[in-house]
Amino acid sequence: MATTQPAPRTMQPIDWAGAGGTRWKDNVDHFEAMLDGPGKALIAAAAFVPGERVVEIGCGGGALTREIAHLVGPGGYALGLDISDELVALAAERATAEGIGNIAFAAGDAQVVQPETGPFDRLVSRFGVMFFQDPAAAMANLHAMIVPGGRLDFAVWAPADENPQFMMMALTGREHLGLAPADPRAPGPLAFSDAGYLEGLLSGAGFVDIRFAKWTGLLKAGWPGIDAAAAAELLARTGSTSDLLAEAGEEVQAAFLSSLATRLAPFITADGIAMPGSVHLVSASA
C-alpha cells in the first residue's frame, strides 16, 4: 500500500520585529563574535572620516554603530536603525554605558521609514538588508536616506556553496525537518548572494558606481573546548531553523542535532568553532 509523503516545509520569513529580534538579543555576544571578521572588513572598506553623518541599517546590538560613532568623531553622528524594539533598547543601553554622545538608535522598518534626522552622508549595513519583502522598494527607500553623492556600504553573504554554515543547516533541515529547497531570492540570509541580481536592484533604485569586493575568512563561534554536540546545540538554537526544530518531537530533534554535530566536527578547533565564510562587500553612490 502506497504511503503519502508529507509535503515539504518552507522556511517562513524571520520575524525580526518579534521572535527573531529576541533570539538575536538573547545571543548577542555569540552573533557579534561570529560576525567580527566581516564587520572589520566592512569598516575598513567604508573608510569613514570625521564629521560624517551615518545611518546603520539593521544595527542589532549596536556594536558597529558605536564603532562608527567613534570614527566620525564629535562633529559626526551615527544612527542605528533596527526593526526590533528589543535590540534598539539594548543598543541604546550599551551606548549610554560607554558614554557616547554622538549616537542614537531608533526602531523602524528600513524598507519604508525615513529617519527624522536624515538624510545622511553615508549608509552602512552588516547583514541587515537581505530580509526585505520588497527589495526594489527597499533599495529606493535607502537611496532616499542619503544625500546626493552620498555613499552606501554593506555586507551580504556570498552564495551558500561558499558558506558551509548555510549548506550544513540546509542539508540537515531537509533530512530531518522536511525542508524544501529555499527560493534563492526569498527574504533571508542568502537573498542577495547573486551579485548580478543585487547590482540590478541597486541600479534600479538610482545608485551608481556600484562595486563589489569579496571577504573570505573564518567565522568564529562558541568557546574554547566546545565539542561538536555542544556546537550543534548552539547553532541550532540560534539559527534560522530554530523555530521549526522547537516544534519537532524529541526523536526528530535528537536526529537533527546528531547529524549537525557530524557535519560540524571538522570545524571544531581548540578555540571553538571556525568555519570558512564568504561575503560580498558592496559600495555604491547615490
Side-chain angles (χ1 to χ4, degrees):
M1 181 176 179
T3 58
T4 302
Q5 295 295 320
R9 305 176 74 183
T10 56
M11 289 293 298
Q12 297 302 306
I14 298 173
D15 178 17
W16 288 113
T22 300
R23 184 163 60 244
W24 188 283
K25 177 182 70 69
D26 292 344
N27 299 279
V28 65
D29 292 333
H30 158 68
F31 288 120
E32 292 292 358
M34 185 174 69
L35 302 181
D36 182 62
K40 286 179 177 175
L42 177 62
I43 287 290
F48 296 107
V49 298
E52 289 184 317
R53 303 179 75 256
V54 185
V55 57
E56 182 191 2
I57 304 301
C59 65
L64 208 68
T65 323
R66 297 196 304 275
E67 185 170 356
I68 292 167
H70 289 301
L71 291 171
V72 299
Y77 170 75
L79 172 71
L81 183 66
D82 200 286
I83 199 170
S84 168
D85 289 323
E86 291 184 84
L87 284 170
V88 165
L90 174 64
E93 178 183 322
R94 289 187 164 189
T96 298
E98 291 185 15
I100 305 173
N102 62 331
I103 196 169
F105 295 91
D109 183 354
Q111 180 170 276
V112 295
V113 73
Q114 283 291 319
E116 293 181 359
T117 50
F120 301 86
D121 302 310
R122 307 287 299 276
L123 184 150
V124 67
S125 182
R126 184 187 62 178
F127 306 116
V129 297
M130 306 95 71
F131 303 95
F132 297 125
Q133 294 296 316
D134 187 340
M139 290 302 175
N141 196 56
L142 297 185
H143 187 278
M145 288 187 196
I146 315 173
V147 299
R151 179 172 156 182
L152 168 152
D153 289 272
F154 60 70
V156 296
W157 296 108
D161 59 6
E162 300 176 29
N163 286 287
Q165 61 166 327
F166 296 119
M167 293 292 289
M168 68 177 65
M169 293 300 287
L171 290 171
T172 309
R174 289 174 201 170
E175 289 174 356
H176 300 288
L177 301 176
L179 283 181
D183 176 350
R185 293 182 182 172
L190 299 171
F192 291 161
S193 60
D194 181 337
Y197 168 62
L198 178 54
E199 184 174 7
L201 287 171
L202 290 168
S203 62
F207 286 101
V208 297
D209 194 21
I210 302 165
R211 303 184 184 189
F212 287 78
K214 183 70 73 71
W215 175 89
T216 57
L218 292 178
L219 304 170
K220 299 181 180 180
W223 51 87
I226 193 172
D227 60 19
E233 287 272 5
L234 174 65
L235 295 192
R237 173 167 50 83
T238 57
S240 57
T241 59
S242 61
D243 291 337
L244 288 179
L245 187 62
E247 297 168 1
E250 291 184 3
E251 186 175 339
V252 171
Q253 291 180 11
F256 179 99
L257 290 171
S258 177
S259 293
L260 184 57
T262 298
R263 290 189 166 105
L264 277 168
F267 305 106
I268 303 300
T269 74
D271 295 323
I273 310 166
M275 289 181 288
S278 183
V279 172
H280 294 310
L281 299 176
V282 187
S283 67
S285 297

